[in-house]
Amino acid sequence: MKAYRLLTEDDTSAFCHKVTEALSKGWELYGSPAYGFDQTTGRMRCAQAVVKDVEGSYRPEIKLGLL
């Protein structure tokens, strides 16, 4: 099964750490990062999709962050 996650965070080093942690756990970048202004918080936000091949079948209760 191919698992998919969309990582998001304010535009701080926390976003880079979140993506780096996912990469260190075997996730791979999927597409280009996105960057946009969140009018609710007044901050810039980043997003990056990642994918990972894992054994088993999809189940809605899977905790993707634990893969």
Side-chain angles (χ1 to χ4, degrees):
M1 170 185 92
K2 187 172 290 280
Y4 170 91
R5 294 174 63 197
L6 181 63
L7 306 175
T8 62
E9 184 67 54
D10 286 345
D11 182 23
T12 66
S13 63
F15 175 73
C16 295
H17 286 283
K18 187 181 279 191
V19 173
T20 299
E21 179 183 23
L23 295 173
S24 75
K25 293 180 176 181
W27 292 86
E28 296 179 15
L29 299 177
Y30 183 78
S32 299
Y35 192 64
F37 183 71
D38 182 340
Q39 290 184 322
T40 304
T41 63
R43 296 179 178 198
M44 295 301 291
R45 300 275 297 172
C46 300
Q48 174 65 59
V50 292
V51 294
K52 183 178 185 180
D53 288 319
V54 295
E55 291 189 26
S57 299
Y58 172 74
R59 297 179 326 278
E61 64 274 6
I62 292 173
K63 300 293 184 196
L64 297 172
L66 299 178
L67 294 177

